[in-house]
Amino acid sequence: MKNVRRLIFVLALLLMTYYQTATASTNNTEIKPYIANSNLSHTDVFTSTDSIIINLYSKNADDYNLEGRIQYNKGSYEKALDYYDKAIELNPKEAIYYYNKAEVFHEIGDFEEAKNLLNKAIKLNPKEAIFYNKKADVMYALGNSEEAIKCYDIAIKLDPKDAHYYNNKGLLLFVMGEYDKSIKLYDKAISLAPLYGEPYENKGDALYMQEKYTEAIKCYDLGISKWKKSPDLTLSMQLSKCAALRALDKFSEAINVCDNALKIDAKYSDAYNEKGVTLYYMEKYKEAIKCFDKAIKLNKSKEVYYSNKGDAYRALHDYQTAIDCYTQLLQINNINTDANYGLGNAFYNMGMYEEAIGYFNKCLRYDPEYTSAYVYKGDCLYYLNYYTEAIDNYKKAIELPYGDTAYVYYSMGSALNFSGNYEDAISAYDLALTKDPSYIGAYTNKGDTYNNLGKFELAWNEYDKALEINPTNIDAFIGKGNVFYYQGKYIEAIKYYDKAIFLDSTVLTPYINKADSLYNLDNYVDSLLTCDKLNEIDKNCAFAYYTRSKIYAIQNKEAEFIENLKRAVVIDPWYIDRATTEKAFESYKENEEFIKIISYPR
């Protein structure tokens, strides 16, 4: 009778394993876990119908084990543990019971207990490959990748024909950035199980990370073809293919892939999200938002949908609505780094730098390696004139992945220049140009720094390099004008400022420099006319009012002098300090109105 009971148990296992394979779940649209669980376990997922088999006979240890699996698959982890404990109590020498119990602790995040249970299972049965496979999962979760690799190697040695172990080891190496090694393991898995679709997708992901997008697409297509009789199993690969097509700027094809995925499953929220991302890259932001809205309607808890929607509104310069989207996301997860970064970026674009820094700090508190947060925090500090702090943030960004860019070196050069570290600024601009030899801003700013050093010939050469790339670059003409300005050659300087104005009559800087040059030439009439033009472009241009105040002071027009100086310092209190040492105001040092103005709170 005991042998009959054992036969029934084994037959039940076989039946349930077959049932699981035939009805594999396809509803998970999340990104697949880095370390996959084996699907070849003899403790595969059981359905509630399994209890019918169990009820055919009275329960022994195996029966409690089966009940434990049923509860585990329902998500009733405490009940599952109770059943496994009963199984272990009845038969403490059965390794699989400890393994199953370890799976529960792995699922609930108690990795230490899972490891201890797996060690017991391995001690009882050191020849079971799947135990080492699961232990590798646990060791990775504990942050011990080296030990995880060793566990996979043992699993492979014990069962060298199981494709899953090669695939899983490949996934771990993928996470570690060892893409070539992971690809070799995926190839081995594919050779062992050509109809096993996951290694094709994983290999495609590794090729994608190496920017081999065309090869990645071939892998995804192969995987899709292997599962063509079950298209619902290919949905994840369809979206991976979409991302690779997008990286090749094949946006229409990427959209078609998303639409095809939605034909297979009209409620596949990730497909709407990927379609929205593609439309975002096509700069069709309003259409992208509609897709993100559909994704959110289908899955209100998926965080990335809200951040993507916020990014789209930010691209439309609708910063308040973007802020609303990121705020919604924080209500779901108040430590979401993308939400805090998005809020920081929105406030940055609104010129609210101190508020932006607060959100960038939150982002970095939750993810100290969020490179872009350091970059934009540096930009905020730069615009607040905290150059040393800005430089520190740029340096931190450079040390992180994707931070070693031309823009970051360019930004650091600008901060160094304004802090008076001219030689270091030039070195930073040179690094920017090493990263991107066509970076015009690095040439013009490098020229500006040479101007600050009085190395005018070198400055001129940098502006020429910028104009070789873009003959209509305004900053280069302004810079050339400054070469003459700093040498007191104001007439020659004005010629270049006029060239810049001709190219774009809405930019303030050439007018400012021209007005100042005319002032230095004692050409007050044309200087005033240029100031008028400045205020047509920007009625709050403090420089224009200040320059007028100097001219009117020289012309002894006290009322006009006082009126314009007052407007200048109200707009920009920086002019208060300048006014106290202004030579043109010497005769008004005792003037009561003048004293009131320079006494304004800063």
Side-chain angles (χ1 to χ4, degrees):
M1 184 65 182
K2 187 174 182 180
N3 289 335
V4 171
R5 291 165 60 83
R6 175 65 64 181
L7 178 60
I8 292 172
F9 172 68
V10 172
L11 288 172
L13 285 174
L14 292 172
L15 176 62
M16 295 161 195
T17 302
Y18 169 78
Y19 183 81
Q20 181 212 13
T21 304
T23 60
S25 174
T26 62
N27 294 324
N28 182 13
T29 59
E30 302 288 337
I31 297 172
K32 61 181 179 295
Y34 289 129
I35 306 301
N37 296 326
S38 172
N39 293 324
L40 300 184
S41 167
H42 57 283
T43 58
D44 279 329
V45 176
F46 299 133
T47 67
S48 58
T49 57
D50 304 328
S51 60
I52 296 172
I53 298 171
I54 294 169
N55 290 330
L56 293 175
Y57 51 87
S58 60
K59 295 177 182 178
N60 62 8
D62 289 336
D63 303 334
Y64 284 117
N65 179 56
L66 286 173
E67 287 283 11
R69 294 300 300 178
I70 293 169
Q71 297 303 323
Y72 172 80
N73 290 308
K74 288 180 178 179
S76 301
Y77 299 128
E78 289 187 15
K79 290 182 179 179
L81 289 173
D82 288 340
Y83 282 116
Y84 290 141
D85 284 340
K86 290 176 182 176
I88 291 168
E89 183 181 348
L90 290 171
N91 186 0
K93 293 185 178 181
E94 177 53 68
I96 198 67
Y97 303 159
Y98 296 96
Y99 169 84
N100 288 347
K101 187 176 178 182
E103 281 200 309
V104 179
F105 281 106
H106 180 250
E107 188 69 26
I108 64 178
D110 190 342
F111 304 121
E112 282 293 343
E113 184 59 26
K115 181 183 76 171
N116 294 335
L117 288 162
L118 287 166
N119 285 339
K120 290 179 181 178
I122 289 168
K123 186 176 181 180
L124 290 166
N125 184 359
K127 300 296 183 182
E128 182 58 70
I130 196 171
F131 295 170
Y132 294 95
N133 181 71
K134 172 55 67 175
K135 186 176 177 182
D137 293 359
V138 171
M139 297 314 297
Y140 170 75
L142 287 168
N144 193 339
S145 298
E146 185 177 347
E147 186 63 27
I149 292 289
K150 289 179 182 178
C151 290
Y152 283 131
D153 286 339
I154 296 171
I156 289 168
K157 185 177 180 180
L158 290 169
D159 192 355
K161 293 184 178 180
D162 191 315
H164 291 76
Y165 303 149
Y166 295 96
N167 179 64
N168 292 353
K169 183 181 176 183
L171 282 165
L172 176 53
L173 289 168
F174 173 89
V175 175
M176 296 168 67
E178 300 280 355
Y179 303 125
D180 287 329
K181 290 180 181 179
S182 71
I183 288 169
K184 289 179 181 178
L185 287 159
Y186 298 140
D187 283 336
K188 180 66 176 178
I190 289 167
S191 69
L192 289 168
L195 297 179
Y196 178 30
E198 189 175 333
Y200 294 98
E201 181 173 11
N202 294 339
K203 181 181 177 181
D205 292 347
L207 290 165
Y208 179 95
M209 294 303 294
Q210 293 179 319
E211 299 183 2
K212 298 177 181 178
Y213 304 120
T214 302
E215 293 178 53
I217 290 166
K218 290 179 182 178
C219 282
Y220 299 137
D221 283 338
L222 273 171
I224 290 167
S225 70
K226 299 301 178 183
W227 281 343
K228 61 183 177 182
K229 292 184 180 179
S230 301
D232 51 334
L233 297 177
T234 71
L235 290 172
S236 176
M237 271 186 278
Q238 300 260 15
L239 298 193
S240 296
K241 180 181 177 181
C242 170
L245 287 165
R246 196 164 57 230
L248 292 170
D249 293 338
K250 295 183 177 180
F251 300 122
S252 296
E253 291 180 49
I255 292 289
N256 290 338
V257 170
C258 293
D259 288 339
N260 186 55
L262 289 167
K263 287 178 184 177
I264 297 169
D265 183 355
K267 295 184 177 180
Y268 189 24
S269 59
D270 280 351
Y272 282 112
N273 179 64
E274 285 297 323
K275 185 175 180 180
V277 171
T278 306
L279 289 163
Y280 176 95
Y281 280 102
M282 296 170 73
E283 299 183 1
K284 297 182 178 180
Y285 304 119
K286 292 181 179 179
E287 292 179 50
I289 289 166
K290 290 179 181 178
C291 288
F292 297 138
D293 280 336
K294 288 179 180 178
I296 291 168
K297 186 176 181 180
L298 289 167
N299 187 348
K300 290 181 172 61
S301 63
K302 195 72 175 283
E303 296 175 19
V304 71
Y305 303 162
Y306 295 92
S307 61
N308 287 348
K309 182 179 175 182
D311 292 348
Y313 275 112
R314 188 151 48 86
L316 289 168
H317 306 294
D318 186 350
Y319 301 119
Q320 187 54 58
T321 307
I323 288 168
D324 293 340
C325 293
Y326 299 130
T327 303
Q328 275 185 290
L329 175 49
L330 288 179
Q331 290 171 355
I332 298 170
N333 178 6
N334 64 1
I335 63 170
N336 184 284
T337 52
D338 290 334
N340 282 292
Y341 172 78
L343 284 164
N345 207 292
F347 282 113
Y348 166 82
N349 282 292
M350 295 167 73
M352 301 170 69
Y353 302 123
E354 291 180 354
E355 291 85 348
I357 288 171
Y359 284 106
F360 290 135
N361 283 338
K362 287 183 181 179
C363 176
L364 292 167
R365 185 188 311 153
Y366 306 134
D367 183 0
E369 296 191 354
Y370 204 119
T371 308
S372 296
Y374 282 112
V375 176
Y376 277 99
K377 181 183 173 183
D379 288 350
C380 290
L381 290 163
Y382 171 84
Y383 287 120
L384 290 170
N385 301 326
Y386 296 124
Y387 302 120
T388 302
E389 293 86 347
I391 292 163
D392 289 341
N393 278 271
Y394 296 137
K395 286 180 177 178
K396 288 176 182 176
I398 289 167
E399 294 171 358
L400 295 172
Y402 313 111
D404 187 28
T405 65
Y407 176 78
V408 177
Y409 285 113
Y410 163 83
S411 300
M412 187 162 69
S414 299
L416 287 163
N417 179 47
F418 276 95
S419 63
N421 297 312
Y422 301 130
E423 296 295 343
D424 289 340
I426 288 168
S427 297
Y429 292 134
D430 284 338
L431 286 167
L433 292 167
T434 300
K435 298 290 180 182
D436 183 0
S438 63
Y439 202 139
I440 293 177
Y443 288 113
T444 56
N445 280 19
K446 187 178 175 183
D448 294 345
T449 306
Y450 278 130
N451 263 340
N452 291 334
L453 287 167
K455 298 180 179 180
F456 302 120
E457 186 175 348
L458 291 174
W460 193 270
N461 291 338
E462 296 302 321
Y463 298 132
D464 278 341
K465 290 174 186 176
L467 290 169
E468 284 176 15
I469 299 169
N470 180 7
T472 62
N473 182 265
I474 293 172
D475 290 334
F477 284 111
I478 294 171
K480 284 192 167 189
N482 290 343
V483 168
F484 289 112
Y485 178 94
Y486 290 131
Q487 297 180 79
K489 300 176 180 179
Y490 302 119
I491 293 175
E492 291 86 344
I494 290 169
K495 292 177 183 178
Y496 284 95
Y497 298 143
D498 281 339
K499 287 182 181 181
I501 291 167
F502 176 77
L503 290 168
D504 189 342
S505 60
T506 65
V507 177
L508 294 176
T509 304
Y511 288 106
I512 289 172
N513 294 358
K514 179 180 178 179
D516 203 40
S517 296
L518 289 164
Y519 173 85
N520 289 329
L521 289 168
D522 298 334
N523 185 347
Y524 301 137
V525 173
D526 288 337
S527 183
L528 287 171
L529 289 172
T530 307
C531 288
D532 290 342
K533 184 62 180 178
L534 276 167
N535 285 134
E536 285 178 20
I537 300 168
D538 180 5
K539 65 180 180 180
N540 290 319
C541 177
F543 172 86
Y545 294 111
Y546 187 79
T547 301
R548 283 198 197 91
S549 70
K550 290 194 297 180
I551 292 172
Y552 291 134
I554 291 168
Q555 294 177 339
N556 294 316
K557 295 180 178 180
E558 182 179 335
E560 292 87 344
F561 153 62
I562 293 296
E563 179 187 353
N564 280 275
L565 181 59
K566 189 182 295 184
R567 295 191 70 173
V569 300
V570 167
I571 295 168
D572 187 351
W574 175 80
Y575 283 103
I576 295 174
D577 289 334
R578 184 169 174 180
T580 59
T581 59
E582 183 63 59
K583 187 177 179 181
F585 302 155
E586 284 291 333
S587 61
Y588 290 93
K589 294 292 184 180
E590 305 300 324
N591 183 285
E592 290 184 9
E593 289 299 320
F594 176 76
I595 293 170
K596 285 181 183 178
I597 292 171
I598 62 173
S599 300
Y600 283 175
R602 289 164 174 78

